[in-house]
Structures are given as structure tokens and as C-alpha cells.
Amino acid sequence: MAAKARITTGALYHYFDSKLEMYLAVYHQVQESVNASFQAAMGTADTFRGRLHAVLESAYDQNCHDPSLAAFLASSRIDMARYEELREHVSSPGEGSNLLEDLVALGRATGEISPANERGIHQLLRALFVGFVSVLSADSSQQRMAIDAFEALLSGGLISEPTKQRPKRKASA
């Protein structure tokens, strides 16, 4: 990696005392960059759906521009699960959780989310974002398709009521 950046390993260790410090510096820089983009996106709308749409579009744009960010974040989740030393130095496994809390709080404030559904929606969003990062970031066309389908699901345009009743299955003995 140092050779790719045209810097010697010794020069890297001039700035960092260990591989852990290098990893954490990259991790925090990537988190700051991604979160800054998400915060900027959230500033473009004043409803839950509007902000969620803006954040999803920001994630897609970031992934198209630099897929290595999502790949690094996906692998960092695995690394933190495997190495206690990393977990000890990162404030929380999902630094984007404040963003999700803010998003859900806005939904509650605008009446888009019932207080009874807050925790479930927070967990749904968490799973959604982890999936976008861990599963779909390698292929932007699949990511785009998933974002569009999720937004259609939110608007009620993805799944219809059945047009025919399915015959009931006989209970097996």
C-alpha cells in the first residue's frame, strides 16, 4: 500500500507509531467524509422521506465516485468483530447511528413515524444501510435498483394487493 502511494514504509511510520494507528486514522477519515456528505444531504430536505431519499442518493453518489469507501467500511465491520483491539479504539461500531437517530426523530416530529414504531424503523434503517454498504456497494447498478425499490416500497408503489386468492393448502398430517 505504501508503494502504491509512492511513500516508503519508514516514512509512514514517521507519522504513525503502529498499524493500528494507521488503520484508525483511515477509519476516522472515511467516517468523517461519509458522515459529512450525509449531513449535507440531510440539510436539503425537511421531512423524514425527503432526508432519507437525500441520504440514499448521497450514498449512491459516493459509491459511484469512490467505491473503496464502502468497501473499507464493510470490511471494517468485520475487522471490528474479529479484533478486540480495534473495538476498544472506536467509539461505537456504527458511527452513523446518530444520523439514523436524527432521521427517526425528524420522522416522529413531522408525524411520519409513530412513536410506537421508532425503534423498529431505526433498526430497519440500520439494516438497510449495512446492506447497502456490505452487500450492494460492489455493483452500483444493483445498488441503484435496491434504492429505487426501497423508495417505491415506502411510497406504496412496489407491492400490490393480490388480485386472486391463492388456494389454501391442505394441512399435512
Side-chain angles (χ1 to χ4, degrees):
M1 184 193 254
K4 205 173 191 179
R6 295 184 181 167
I7 188 169
T8 67
T9 305
L12 277 176
Y13 282 106
H14 174 75
Y15 295 101
F16 300 100
D17 291 334
S18 66
K19 289 179 184 179
L20 175 63
E21 281 190 22
M22 278 186 258
Y23 183 94
L24 292 172
V26 171
Y27 175 81
H28 290 298
Q29 182 180 4
V30 169
Q31 284 287 355
E32 286 175 22
S33 173
V34 168
N35 288 338
S37 284
F38 287 168
Q39 289 297 332
M42 285 187 50
T44 66
D46 56 3
T47 65
F48 169 79
R49 284 187 185 191
R51 285 188 183 177
L52 179 57
H53 171 78
V55 169
L56 291 172
E57 290 303 318
S58 174
Y60 177 75
D61 291 343
Q62 288 179 73
N63 193 46
C64 287
H65 177 71
D66 187 354
S68 70
L69 296 176
F72 177 77
L73 290 175
S75 68
S76 72
R77 294 182 70 77
I78 295 166
D79 293 340
M80 280 183 239
R82 292 177 62 206
Y83 300 107
E84 184 177 336
E85 185 178 27
L86 286 177
R87 285 191 307 273
E88 291 172 358
H89 289 87
V90 175
S91 60
S92 69
E95 290 188 4
S97 64
N98 288 340
L99 176 117
L100 298 180
E101 289 169 13
D102 292 347
L103 201 52
V104 171
L106 173 68
R108 185 184 64 240
T110 60
E112 293 169 276
I113 296 174
S114 161
N117 295 332
E118 273 182 75
R119 293 183 73 208
I121 290 175
H122 184 272
Q123 294 306 319
L124 172 66
L125 292 176
R126 187 169 167 230
L128 174 77
F129 280 93
V130 168
F132 281 139
V133 169
S134 299
V135 179
L136 297 172
S137 61
D139 183 337
S140 62
S141 65
Q142 287 183 356
Q143 186 183 33
R144 173 82 270 154
M145 192 181 336
I147 289 170
D148 292 345
F150 180 72
E151 290 183 346
L153 180 65
L154 280 179
S155 67
L158 184 64
I159 300 172
S160 303
E161 290 293 324
T163 56
K164 296 179 185 176
Q165 289 286 9
R166 289 184 60 189
K168 291 184 179 182
R169 293 188 205 189
K170 292 182 180 181
S172 55

